[in-house]
Amino acid sequence: MYSVCVEVGTVDFPPFSGLQVHMRQCTKSEIDDRIPRQYCSIVKGLTKGLAPYETFFATIDEKEVKAGETQRRGGLHYDGLYRLTEGWRTGGYWGTETETDMDPELLYGGMFIVSNYPACEYYLGSVEGVAGPGGDLEHLRPEIEKLVKDRMRANVVYAANATCFHESIPVEEDVKRQLLR
């Protein structure tokens, strides 16, 4: 199992509004109709390499987070894998399957992730083992912590593979955090 995460650009977030959009299925040609207007230009930039019919899932999570708390899921994990069926991408399996549940030739996925506040750490490299339910990697923490670790920076877009090892970390101050994935 391997973890990849690279910086690919920067974005400017729109004003905070408390917007919540979770795993909204969309194609590139549907962005103007399915993505909130203030995020359309960002999402269009992130999906410019997709064909018009290719499906992706967008999460926009704007939340007031108190110092010492996390905005997103806690614990070391990866977010998930897609299943290819008869050559067509069918999503919606984020965190519900492990790579042992799937034929390796059918794996596809990954994500772009960006936030206005640095509250996520990720690891680069590979380890032997299998993720637990929902992509849980806590049982592999001793091995994963031997890898290179970094913290995502504010407003920097990261491209990560579907098995990117990462975890939310508590914010250091009260913050209106915005996250797009």
Side-chain angles (χ1 to χ4, degrees):
M1 182 168 42
Y2 66 98
S3 177
V4 177
C5 188
V6 297
E7 294 182 15
V8 295
T10 60
V11 299
D12 292 317
F13 277 88
F16 180 91
S17 65
L19 185 63
Q20 295 289 304
V21 174
H22 297 283
M23 295 298 291
R24 180 163 297 163
Q25 186 172 348
C26 191
T27 64
K28 186 175 174 181
S29 62
E30 297 173 323
I31 290 173
D32 287 328
D33 296 325
R34 308 252 323 131
I35 300 297
R37 183 178 48 206
Q38 63 268 43
Y39 278 92
C40 282
S41 64
I42 297 172
V43 173
K44 285 177 182 178
L46 295 176
T47 59
K48 66 182 173 186
L50 293 179
Y53 60 83
E54 288 187 280
T55 299
F56 64 91
F57 294 84
T59 293
I60 301 167
D61 187 0
E62 296 187 349
K63 197 176 290 178
E64 293 187 34
V65 185
K66 299 287 185 194
E69 296 180 359
T70 62
Q71 177 182 9
R72 304 287 296 167
R73 169 184 178 181
L76 189 56
H77 66 281
Y78 67 60
D79 282 321
L81 304 167
Y82 287 111
R83 178 189 301 274
L84 288 177
T85 305
E86 297 176 10
W88 189 254
R89 294 183 180 98
T90 59
Y93 292 96
W94 286 88
T96 61
E97 299 192 32
T98 66
E99 60 269 41
T100 58
D101 295 331
M102 302 173 70
D103 181 330
E105 294 180 12
L106 301 179
L107 296 181
Y108 178 82
M111 65 180 167
F112 288 110
I113 185 168
V114 59
S115 174
N116 70 335
Y117 188 89
C120 182
E121 293 181 337
Y122 64 92
Y123 296 83
L124 302 174
S126 62
V127 296
E128 293 295 321
V130 176
D136 178 63
L137 298 171
E138 282 299 324
H139 62 289
L140 298 173
R141 183 178 285 278
E143 292 304 310
I144 291 173
E145 286 185 337
K146 294 176 186 175
L147 302 175
V148 173
K149 176 173 80 170
D150 204 353
R151 182 177 292 191
M152 292 182 180
R153 296 182 298 129
N155 301 323
V156 174
V157 179
Y158 293 85
N161 68 327
T163 56
C164 177
F165 316 148
H166 66 282
E167 65 183 319
S168 293
I169 56 173
V171 299
E172 296 173 0
E173 60 192 342
D174 291 355
V175 64
K176 292 181 176 180
R177 187 165 184 243
Q178 296 168 282
L179 178 132
L180 171 63
R181 174 179 84 181

